[in-house]
Amino acid sequence: MNKVKNISILGSTGSIGTQALEVAKMYNLNIKALAANSNAELLAKQCKEFNAECVCIYDDKYYKELKSLLFGQNVKILTGMEGLCEIASDNSIDILLNSVVGMVGLLPTLKAIENKTDIALANKETLVAGGNLVMELAAKNGVNIFPVDSEHSAIFQCLQGNKRSQLKKIILTASGGPFFGKKLSDLENVTVNEALAHPNWSMGNKITIDSSTLMNKGLEFIEAKWLFDLTPEQIEIVVHRQSVVHSAVEYNDNSVIAQMGVPDMKIPIQYAILYPDRLKCSCKALSLTDYGTLTFEKPDFETFKCLTACIEAIKRGGAYPCIINGANEEAVGHFLKGKIKFLEIGELVSNVLDKFSYSEIVTYEDVINWDKEARDFVNRMI
Ligand code: MN
């Protein structure tokens, strides 16, 4: 590595954030600022361990707790969206890791890009809801967006050293989630705990539910479209139960290049933070013979309505991806609280597509507006 990198992390107490801090520790990166939603205890602990100059607790209910936990420390304590944006706008950082959950991540991403700071992006809603805004601004300011999502990291890795103009399509792999092979009638009475039991990856609640409905793959489809400037027709989704092939790309000569590894987020997190270096990683090495068989199948678009709705949304364009994302966030929240049934998530997400007519996203306010409209729609329906 050339020099010590200065890094700030939004979402430092989550699954991606804590693993990123392990990478920071291993490679002696300088942590400038950390932010979390509500876990004041862990945030304070991380702040002390990594000597952060600044911390932000998004939910101001926990501000007092954080303040008392950090009593006597020389650290700036912030709250709310203002705090996240202040951290994102710090000119002295080399890279901002944005791993917050949900739409909250969009404005800090835009702030970092305005400041010409490279981003390691784990917040997929940012690109789903405001993809055109983010990518246009990033191109204008010459900012790199390094994908942290394992599939997009895989595609990014497969694109290294080849000509982007000679790319034919990408193959986005999906684990299929805990309900692969099930039909609609099998899923009527799925409980929250069943939906939270993911076979390969351990993640936060929202993304785990999204993985069980395949909404996550739909969001990734949209994310890939923006990150790699593709048409929806250039993206093929393939169910690959073992999560060893993290995705692949196909070039004009029909050569397919895939990136493989054990299912461990450490690899994509580390690659995004340390790019272009490939240094020793604490994850296990891949043994292909331990797996023996790798399987590939077509997804079931009829059962997993969220996936179908996402592809339809990006084909229609405009505000549709933002609208289904907002509807989904709201529906998943209700499902986690036991207020709606599992299959209602997919129904609500598909329904919004037909309830809204086409409109453009031109500004950040448009994103906020359509996101809210979609959430209000879901709340009226339940
Ligand atoms: Mn993923």
Side-chain angles (χ1 to χ4, degrees):
M1 243 188 341
N2 304 327
K3 64 180 187 85
V4 175
K5 278 192 179 178
N6 290 315
I7 172 169
S8 290
I9 303 177
L10 307 182
S12 66
T13 58
S15 157
I16 302 283
T18 49
Q19 294 181 76
L21 283 172
E22 286 173 39
V23 174
K25 199 172 179 174
M26 192 159 160
Y27 289 106
N28 215 3
L29 307 181
N30 183 35
I31 301 292
K32 295 275 296 184
L34 297 169
N37 178 42
S38 58
N39 193 342
E41 207 180 318
L42 183 54
L43 182 60
K45 194 172 159 254
Q46 292 175 337
C47 172
K48 289 177 193 166
E49 183 181 352
F50 291 91
N51 257 317
E53 292 168 17
C54 174
V55 289
C56 172
I57 189 98
Y58 181 72
D59 188 337
D60 58 16
K61 270 203 310 256
Y62 302 92
Y63 175 74
K64 271 192 175 161
E65 183 189 347
L66 183 64
K67 213 176 159 186
S68 72
L69 286 164
L70 290 173
F71 182 77
Q73 297 278 315
N74 183 19
V75 56
K76 191 170 180 184
I77 306 174
L78 307 168
T79 64
M81 183 56 86
E82 237 173 88
L84 297 183
C85 289
E86 188 174 328
I87 290 174
S89 307
D90 177 357
N91 278 320
S92 68
I93 53 176
D94 299 308
I95 191 158
L96 176 78
L97 169 60
N98 186 349
S99 56
V100 304
V101 180
M103 266 287 296
V104 171
L106 178 57
L107 196 56
T109 296
L110 293 171
K111 291 291 171 197
I113 298 174
E114 278 171 13
N115 266 289
K116 300 191 167 42
T117 300
D118 287 344
I119 300 175
L121 190 65
N123 173 248
K124 59 189 70 168
E125 292 85 351
T126 287
L127 282 177
V128 170
N132 60 328
L133 301 180
V134 171
M135 296 315 289
E136 277 166 26
L137 195 61
K140 198 178 117 202
N141 287 347
V143 165
N144 292 307
I145 297 180
F146 301 113
V148 172
D149 209 341
S150 61
E151 295 80 358
H152 304 80
S153 172
I155 294 159
F156 181 66
Q157 293 180 54
C158 295
L159 291 172
Q160 302 299 312
N162 289 291
K163 288 189 179 148
R164 171 63 187 77
S165 60
Q166 292 167 358
L167 174 73
K168 189 159 83 177
K169 61 178 252 201
I170 65 164
I171 298 162
L172 192 68
T173 53
S175 74
F179 305 133
F180 176 71
K182 298 272 195 276
K183 295 288 163 202
L184 284 171
S185 56
D186 304 319
L187 298 175
E188 264 168 35
N189 297 312
V190 161
T191 64
V192 171
N193 283 338
E194 283 166 340
L196 285 177
H198 195 277
N200 302 347
W201 299 97
S202 92
M203 307 169 286
N205 280 353
K206 198 257 172 185
I207 185 172
T208 307
I209 299 298
D210 284 350
S211 298
S212 74
T213 61
L214 296 201
M215 181 74 190
N216 184 55
K217 205 50 56 182
L219 296 176
E220 289 181 354
F221 187 102
I222 298 170
E223 198 185 359
K225 181 243 155 12
W226 290 115
L227 272 174
F228 306 112
D229 190 23
L230 302 162
T231 63
E233 292 72 26
Q234 284 177 294
I235 309 172
E236 181 187 2
I237 295 177
V238 171
V239 175
H240 166 51
R241 296 294 283 158
Q242 298 80 22
S243 298
V244 166
V245 173
H246 298 307
S247 277
V249 306
E250 185 177 320
Y251 288 97
N252 285 340
D253 60 357
N254 289 343
S255 180
V256 174
I257 299 180
Q259 187 262 337
M260 295 191 278
V262 292
D264 188 324
M265 285 305 291
K266 270 284 177 53
I267 302 175
I269 292 169
Q270 184 171 312
Y271 192 65
I273 297 176
L274 303 181
Y275 177 85
D277 283 301
R278 289 187 178 276
L279 306 181
K280 199 171 179 310
C281 181
S282 64
C283 70
K284 269 174 58 184
L286 173 65
S287 161
L288 283 172
T289 50
D290 277 358
Y291 280 90
T293 308
L294 299 179
T295 58
F296 302 93
E297 292 157 86
K298 288 198 167 109
D300 174 353
F301 291 104
E302 259 160 55
T303 304
F304 297 95
K305 291 185 192 296
C306 287
L307 176 60
T308 314
C310 284
I311 296 172
E312 178 61 22
I314 194 65
K315 282 184 177 164
R316 292 192 196 179
Y320 283 113
C322 170
I323 288 167
I324 52 161
N325 178 62
N328 178 64
E329 269 191 55
E330 207 63 19
V332 170
H334 289 304
F335 173 68
L336 285 169
K337 285 181 209 138
K339 285 202 218 151
I340 62 171
K341 291 186 132 192
F342 181 75
L343 290 178
E344 285 179 85
I345 303 173
E347 283 160 20
L348 286 162
V349 169
S350 334
N351 276 343
V352 283
L353 276 180
D354 298 323
K355 290 295 185 278
F356 288 76
S357 47
Y358 180 86
S359 57
E360 300 266 346
I361 298 259
V362 183
T363 63
Y364 171 73
E365 286 69 34
D366 293 337
V367 177
I368 298 303
N369 169 54
W370 289 115
D371 177 69
K372 184 178 180 305
E373 292 280 337
R375 287 169 195 268
D376 290 348
F377 171 83
V378 166
N379 290 325
R380 282 196 304 273
M381 295 297 289
I382 64 157

